[in-house]
Amino acid sequence: MEHGPCGGPLPPCRWRRRLAEGTEQLKTFVMKEIGRVGFMEKPVPQPGPRDAVVQTTRALICTSDSHTVQGGIGPRENLTLGHEAVGIVHAVGSEVKDFRPGDRVLVGAITPDWGDLASQNGYPSQSGGPLGGFKFANSKDGVFAEYFHVNDADANLAKIPDGISDEAAVYCADMLSTGFMGAEKGNIPIGGTVAVLAQGPVGLMATVGARLRGAGLVIGVESVPERQKLARTYGADEIVDFTSEDVAERIHELTQGQGVDTAIEALGADVTFQTAVKITKPGGTVSNIGYFGEGEFVRIPRVEWGVGMADKTIATGLCPGGRLRMERLLQVLQTKRVDPAHMTTHEFRFDDMERAFEVSDKKLEDVVKVMITF
């Protein structure tokens, strides 16, 4: 990491210089309006009594950021983007007990309100309303900034153990959490059959999750050669290329005509969701982790659904957040069950964020995942 004359990383040096100048501003990367992004300066966030402010060290760009800029969750103006980050605690509120400035921490993409009734009912990601735990780059400024605010710090931060790099830990914020959720909600029997439709970063981690849950056969559906290779690295036994063969026919061949126990939809497209229903056996589960950013409806193929009576379960969920979830995922890294860093195909400094976002948004240069260093 580069260092400046004050001895620390460059962003903190800029921070201290700005304080000295009395500006108390930080650099952020924002959605200016639907279809437009860019840099702007904003006031430095301050922690409430139970909150924290984190100095960002690494962040990842997510396809969800593109969906947001395209209007997937409605209009936003000058909203700081990003929801996958790790960093160093800069400041904490007076009631925070377990974290102090200087702690190296992971922050989940979802930061629930843990006292909400939905949290008490077992659905913290929905606290405050549907998708209410999804605050970063939705209802509040996100993490593509030199510093960012975290609500309910004791419940939403997790200390990163020594020996786990920032570059690996940051994947726990969303990619591992969401991908593993696809396997968890898929009701995978030990030795069961699983198909993961789309092998982007979330789909790749769903593939890992299926293996960890005891699947006997994991089928990855993907057309991009680099992603096919990664899918095999992460545990796919078979690859089905939808550009050269009929997915449903091929998967039925691979499962002796039965279909899979679990189909994990990891793309967020109507046609992919329909395929997931078609390839799932009666009594099986369609586990949806895709973000449907377009269209008013998602269709269910009537006949393959058994005209509504084939005992096919459709499970949905939002990336689980919170301290316990993040600590468990960090333990998966610590025991070397998976190395998510294989997915990092591009790295950029925060100052080059506009180009980084373009590469991710337009899927240039065989990109899988873009890492941002602050």
Side-chain angles (χ1 to χ4, degrees):
M1 179 179 289
E2 295 179 312
H3 287 74
C6 57
L10 285 177
C13 292
R14 291 201 299 268
W15 159 252
R16 285 192 279 273
R17 185 163 60 250
R18 284 182 179 134
L19 281 181
E21 294 168 355
T23 60
E24 297 188 16
Q25 299 285 302
L26 56 82
K27 187 176 184 179
T28 71
F29 186 75
V30 306
M31 171 184 172
K32 295 183 176 180
E33 60 184 9
I34 290 177
R36 292 183 62 231
V37 298
F39 284 109
M40 70 178 297
E41 288 195 345
K42 292 187 178 185
V44 174
Q46 300 297 314
R50 298 171 59 193
D51 307 333
V53 173
V54 175
Q55 171 202 329
T56 320
T57 57
R58 298 289 189 280
L60 295 167
I61 302 177
C62 183
T63 302
S64 297
D65 295 310
S66 294
H67 289 318
T68 297
V69 172
Q70 293 160 9
I73 56 175
R76 298 290 190 276
E77 184 176 336
N78 294 331
L79 177 73
T80 303
L81 293 166
H83 55 265
E84 301 177 66
V86 296
I88 298 169
V89 174
H90 170 70
V92 296
S94 59
E95 296 181 18
V96 175
K97 298 177 182 179
D98 297 334
F99 297 88
R100 292 291 178 267
D103 288 342
R104 194 165 64 104
V105 293
L106 162 67
V107 185
I110 305 303
T111 53
D113 297 308
W114 289 94
D116 187 83
L117 291 177
S119 297
Q120 295 177 41
N121 195 35
Y123 298 97
S125 297
Q126 315 301 331
S127 60
L131 311 187
F134 173 28
K135 293 180 171 57
F136 291 136
N138 181 17
S139 60
K140 66 182 282 188
D141 279 335
V143 304
F144 292 161
E146 293 168 311
Y147 291 78
F148 63 93
H149 175 274
V150 182
N151 64 288
D152 209 350
D154 281 332
N156 285 320
L157 297 179
K159 293 179 183 178
I160 302 172
D162 292 341
I164 298 179
S165 68
D166 286 357
E167 291 84 354
V170 68
Y171 275 99
C172 295
D174 186 355
M175 299 299 94
L176 264 74
S177 193
T178 300
F180 285 11
M181 179 190 70
E184 290 164 321
K185 292 209 168 189
N187 193 30
I188 300 169
I190 291 178
T193 53
V194 179
V196 183
L197 288 84
Q199 293 291 310
V202 167
L204 289 166
M205 292 302 96
T207 296
V208 173
R211 291 294 291 267
L212 290 175
R213 298 288 284 192
L217 174 67
V218 180
I219 304 165
V221 179
E222 181 56 63
S223 65
V224 178
E226 180 61 28
R227 297 186 181 206
Q228 291 178 345
K229 180 179 177 181
L230 280 171
R232 292 194 182 279
T233 297
Y234 284 125
D237 302 292
E238 299 282 350
I239 300 294
V240 177
D241 185 341
F242 64 88
T243 65
S244 61
E245 54 193 331
D246 183 280
V247 173
E249 287 183 4
R250 179 59 179 148
I251 288 178
H252 278 94
E253 287 177 7
L254 291 169
T255 58
Q256 291 75 52
Q258 296 183 49
V260 295
D261 293 292
T262 304
I264 302 175
E265 203 284 354
L267 182 63
D270 180 44
V271 64
T272 311
F273 182 81
Q274 290 188 57
T275 299
V277 174
K278 292 177 182 178
I279 64 176
T280 300
K281 68 171 61 170
T285 301
V286 175
S287 179
N288 184 82
I289 54 176
Y291 179 145
F292 290 82
E294 298 179 351
E296 294 301 314
F297 303 98
V298 178
R299 295 173 292 174
I300 298 174
R302 183 180 62 85
V303 173
E304 290 86 353
W305 196 33
V307 296
M309 296 179 287
D311 285 319
K312 296 188 181 186
T313 299
I314 296 174
T316 69
L318 175 62
C319 171
R323 174 177 172 179
L324 178 60
R325 176 71 171 188
M326 295 301 110
E327 288 177 347
R328 286 175 170 171
L329 295 176
L330 287 167
Q331 185 163 290
V332 171
L333 298 188
Q334 200 166 24
T335 53
K336 302 187 186 304
R337 297 292 193 271
V338 61
D339 180 3
H342 293 308
M343 295 187 289
T344 303
T345 53
H346 294 70
E347 297 184 47
F348 291 88
R349 298 288 299 183
F350 183 50
D351 288 343
D352 297 324
M353 188 70 199
E354 289 181 319
R355 175 56 182 168
F357 190 83
E358 180 184 26
V359 168
S360 178
D361 181 48
K362 296 180 179 178
K363 300 292 186 290
L364 305 178
E365 303 170 8
D366 295 323
V367 66
V368 176
K369 200 69 173 173
V370 176
M371 179 81 65
I372 305 300
T373 300
F374 288 74

